[in-house]
Every structure is written in C-alpha cells, then in structure tokens.
C-alpha cells in the first residue's frame, strides 16, 4: 500500500503535469504554426528572401520580448498591497502596452518597406508586430488572473486561423509569399485577441488616471527598467549572429543557419510558455516563504525542459540522417546545415539549463541581477561572434555563442542560490 506521503507526491506531480499540459498545448500549436510557415517560406523563396524573412521575424520577436519585459513580467509580479492599487497598476501597464504596440507597428512597417518587401506585405508586417505585442501581454494578463484556458484558446485560434489564411492566400489565391505570410499572421493575431474576452479587451481602451501612472513609475524603477535592460542584453546574447551575419555576409548567408534553427525552434516556444506559467506560481511560493515547494517546482520544471530538449534532438537528428530533403531544398548545403544544427543543440542545452533558476529570480523581482548576468553574457557573445565572422565561416558564429551562454548559466544560477539562501526554509540543491 502506498504511504500518504507518496500518494500526496503522486497527486502533486499529476496536477502539475496537467497544468503543464494546459500551458503546453498553446505553445505546441505556436511552434507548429511558425515552423510550418517558415518551412513554406523556405521552399517558396530564394535563400536571400528567406534570410530577409528570418531577419524580420527575429526583429518582431525581439519587440515582443521587450514588451513582455516592460509589461508582461510586471503584470505577473505586481506587489501592490491592495486590490485598488493592483488595478491601477494593471491599467497603467496595459495602456502603456497599447501605446508601445502602435509605435512599434508603424516603425516595423517602415523597416519592412526599406528591406524591399511589397507594400501590402510591409503593412501587414507592421500590423502583425503591433498585435503580437498585445497578444503576448494578454497571455501574461490571463496567467496572472488564473485564466490559463484563455491563453490556450488564444494560441490555438491564432495557429489555426494563421495556417488556414496562409494556405488560402499562398496556394489558392496565389498572392506573393511575403504578402500571404504576413497577411495571415496579422489576421491570426487579430482574431486570437478575442479569446481573452471583454475583461482584457476593454482594459486596452481605458486611459488610466494620474494615480495609475504613479504606480507604474514605481514598477518601472524596481522591475521594468532592469527587465528591459536584461532583454536588450539577451537579444545581443541570443541573436547577435542574426544581425551581424545578415549585415556583414548578406541574407543568403543567414539562410542555412536559420534553416537549421527550425529543427529546434519548438523548444524556444515551450521554454517561454512554461516560464510564463511558472513565474506567477513561483512568485506566490516566494511570497509565502514556501522554500520546499519552490525547490520541488524548480526541479520538475528543469526535468520537463530536459525531456523536451532530448525529444527535439532525437527528432532533429532523425530528419538530418534519414530525410533532410523533407525540410531543406537542394540549393542548401547539407554539410553547413548539419554543422549549424549540432551547434544549435549545444546552445539550446546551455540556455535551458539556466531557465528554472532564471524564472525563479524573476518571480522574486531580481531583474537587476539577471540584467547584470546577461550583460556579461552579451558582451562575450558579441565579441565571440564578431571574431568568428572575421576569421571563420558564418556557420561557426553559432558555436561561438556557447561562451556567452556559459557565462550566463554560471551567473544566473549563482543569483538563484543567493535568493534561496535568503529564504527561511532549507532544501536540496538546485538541479
């Protein structure tokens, strides 16, 4: 007969995996949607055009990450003492997100036109960027308000509508691939906002009062500015090769590197989505001083990420070994693709190793410590990628980033240990 403690542990893990499943359904849909779109663009476009698509897609995701640092993370960790204060803070955060989305949409539409996209495609790209900011902030709002089902519904509707719209536009109406792609993304993002319902959408059109802005000023000083600095440095650490290779060697040189990254892209989405789910959970545990539960949550989070990494590596190796032609056109050098894929596997492992500790420090409000860690990581990565690009082929810029991510791993885990030592209860070591 099972002991009560083992039964309770089994129930805890069952409930946790159910929540992970709910949190993971949407990310799997997102990963599949973006993979299929990238795969279609890989097959429909020249390497140079696919490199441009990759550059613009990375730039849009970077903007979404900035918005999550400024608005998403604070929404999930508002520490105001009263319900009214929390409402004022949320109103200010969401209003600032709307203003940021509008400015980003205009700016990115202009950027796309400068990169020779057709006018309809450039317009749709700008709209897509703006709407994706509001959609990802909406996901953070839903998690913070214990409405994970809304998040999953938004993700699923976004994926389904985007793929259906792209298929009709590209293969039935025969629009230009760029117009079909960005038009479908914009439509999917717009309609997926409806899943969050009136409670979220109505807040986007409410202008906050002076008191709300004063509350957000405190959030900016203590959290958002450090989170913003961390995202800027993270972008330099993670995507330096995209910008330097595209600007230095051309979009065509970036194409095989981006193509290889497709094999592991679902990991990024799952990592971000599970992190969004766990951040408010860990914040509650930290506020309650429940160190034992916090450590157990971190361990499970760690092993789920490792399982996901292993599954994606096995799948990627299988494709490269037995059916590379299913993904990569004949115009791509498979030797370069394989080298890039192996490098990406190592990089993603280093990144995932620090994710549970990173999310825990975020939940504790330690954005300043994380910003310092990623600044050092970004400095190392920028230097390593630049040196690799000067003396080696562009494909080796990926492997060069391992140095920076190793620095980040060491510093983030050190910050997590300091946070855990500051809590009253004691437990086992970090995973």
């Amino acid at each position: 007969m099972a002991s009560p403690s083992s039964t309770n542990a089994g129930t805890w893990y069952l409930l946790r995996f159910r929540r992970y499943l709910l949190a993971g359904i949407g990310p799997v849909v997102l990963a599949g949607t973006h993979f299929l779109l990238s795969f279609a663009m890989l097959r429909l476009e020249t390497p140079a055009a696919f490199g441009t698509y990759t550059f613009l897609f990375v730039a849009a995701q970077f903007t979404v990450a900035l918005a999550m640092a400024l608005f998403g993370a604070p929404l999930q960790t508002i520490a105001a003492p009263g319900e009214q204060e929390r409402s004022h803070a949320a109103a200010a955060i969401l209003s600032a997100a709307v203003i940021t989305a509008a400015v980003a949409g205009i700016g990115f539409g202009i950027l796309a036109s400068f990169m020779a996209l057709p006018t309809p495609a450039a317009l749709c790209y700008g709209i897509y960027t703006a709407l994706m900011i509001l959609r990802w902030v909406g996901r953070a709002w839903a998690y913070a308000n214990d409405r994970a089902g809304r998040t999953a519904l938004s993700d699923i509707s976004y994926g389904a509508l985007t793929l259906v719209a792209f298929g009709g536009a590209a293969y039935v109406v025969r629009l230009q691939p760029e117009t079909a792609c960005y038009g479908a993304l914009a439509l999917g993002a717009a309609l997926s906002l409806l899943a969050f319902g009136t409670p979220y959408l109505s807040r986007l059109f409410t202008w906050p009062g002076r008191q709300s802005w004063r509350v957000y000023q405190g959030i900016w000083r203590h959290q958002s500015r450090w989170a913003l600095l961390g995202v800027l440095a993270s972008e330099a650490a993670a995507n330096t090769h995209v910008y330097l290779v595209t600007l230095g060697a051309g979009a065509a040189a970036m194409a095989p590197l981006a193509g290889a990254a497709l094999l592991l892209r679902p990991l990024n989405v799952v990592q971000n989505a599970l992190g969004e789910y766990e951040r408010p959970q860990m914040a509650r545990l930290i506020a309650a001083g429940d160190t034992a539960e916090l450590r157990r949550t971190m361990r499970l989070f760690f092993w789920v990420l490792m399982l996901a990494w292993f599954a994606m590596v096995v799948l990627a190796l299988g494709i490269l070994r037995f059916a590379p032609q299913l993904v990569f056109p004949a115009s791509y050098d498979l030797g370069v693709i394989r080298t890039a894929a192996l490098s990406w596997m190592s990089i993603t492992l280093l990144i995932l190793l620090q994710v549970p500790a990173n999310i825990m420090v975020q939940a504790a409000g330690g954005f300043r410590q994380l910003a310092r860690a990623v600044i050092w990581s970004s400095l190392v990565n920028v230097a390593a990628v630049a040196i690799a690009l000067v003396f080696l082929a562009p494909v080796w810029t990926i492997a060069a980033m391992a140095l920076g991510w190793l620095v980040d791993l060491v510093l983030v885990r050190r910050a997590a240990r300091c946070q855990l030592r500051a809590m009253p209860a004691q437990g086992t070591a970090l995973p």
Side-chain angles (χ1 to χ4, degrees), residues 265-394:
R265 180 176 289 176
L267 282 175
N268 297 330
V269 182
V270 172
Q271 163 200 328
N272 292 336
L274 293 184
E276 280 185 58
Y277 168 77
E278 285 294 2
R279 188 188 296 113
Q281 310 299 323
M282 291 184 185
R284 296 186 187 102
L285 294 174
I286 292 170
D290 194 344
T291 307
E293 184 72 6
L294 178 62
R295 290 180 182 275
R296 183 161 66 161
T297 296
M298 291 176 67
R299 285 196 300 271
L300 179 62
F301 189 15
F302 173 82
W303 288 113
V304 168
L305 290 174
M306 291 300 99
L307 180 61
W309 178 83
F310 180 76
M312 288 306 306
V313 166
V314 170
L315 179 61
L317 291 175
I319 292 174
L320 291 173
R321 174 64 179 86
F322 298 107
Q325 70 279 1
L326 293 179
V327 178
F328 305 103
S331 57
Y332 284 76
D333 186 339
L334 288 180
V336 173
I337 292 289
R338 292 190 179 99
T339 300
L342 292 174
S343 298
W344 280 124
M345 292 173 193
S346 300
I347 294 298
T348 54
L349 178 60
L350 287 173
I351 293 173
L352 293 179
L353 286 173
Q354 57 86 30
V355 166
N358 192 306
I359 296 299
M360 189 274 284
V361 177
Q362 288 184 41
F367 295 100
R368 184 172 184 172
Q369 295 93 316
L370 294 176
R372 288 173 174 170
V374 80
I375 285 171
W376 284 108
S377 173
S378 65
L379 291 174
V380 173
N381 269 356
V382 169
V385 169
I387 293 171
L389 193 58
V390 171
F391 295 102
L392 302 170

Side-chain angles (χ1 to χ4, degrees), residues 22-221:
L22 179 61
I25 288 174
V28 168
V29 172
L30 289 177
T33 300
H34 293 155
F35 174 82
L36 291 174
L37 282 178
S38 297
F39 174 74
M41 295 296 284
L42 183 70
R43 309 289 293 191
L44 293 173
E45 292 281 25
T46 64
F50 180 70
T52 299
Y53 162 81
T54 299
F55 180 88
L56 291 174
F57 193 82
V58 167
Q61 296 304 307
F62 170 50
T63 305
V64 170
L66 288 177
M68 289 301 293
L70 288 169
F71 315 120
L75 272 176
Q76 294 181 333
T77 55
I78 292 175
E83 181 62 34
Q84 185 175 9
E85 289 82 357
R86 287 193 291 271
S87 179
H88 284 315
I93 290 170
L94 293 178
S95 296
V98 171
I99 295 172
T100 301
V103 173
I106 295 172
F108 276 84
I110 296 172
L111 172 65
S113 65
F114 278 141
M115 297 194 73
L117 256 67
T119 299
L123 178 62
C124 289
Y125 173 69
I127 294 172
Y128 161 71
T129 303
L131 293 176
M132 282 299 283
I133 290 174
L134 299 180
R135 202 185 83 78
W136 277 89
V137 172
R139 295 177 91 260
W141 176 87
Y143 276 129
N145 288 275
D146 199 23
R147 300 185 180 187
R150 294 281 185 175
T151 299
L153 180 60
S154 176
D155 290 342
I156 293 170
S157 61
Y158 166 77
L161 292 169
T162 298
L163 289 179
V164 170
F166 175 76
Y171 297 101
V172 178
V173 182
R174 300 288 182 178
L175 295 179
Q176 290 179 298
E178 297 98 331
T179 302
C181 179
Y182 290 117
L185 286 168
L187 179 63
L191 296 180
S192 68
L193 283 173
L194 300 177
F196 297 119
T198 303
Y200 175 68
L201 297 177
S202 62
R203 287 172 175 262
L204 298 180
F205 299 98
T206 302
W207 189 258
R210 185 177 301 175
Q211 183 178 359
S212 297
W213 286 115
R214 283 199 296 267
V215 173
Y216 185 69
Q217 287 175 2
I219 295 173
W220 166 259
R221 286 195 302 269

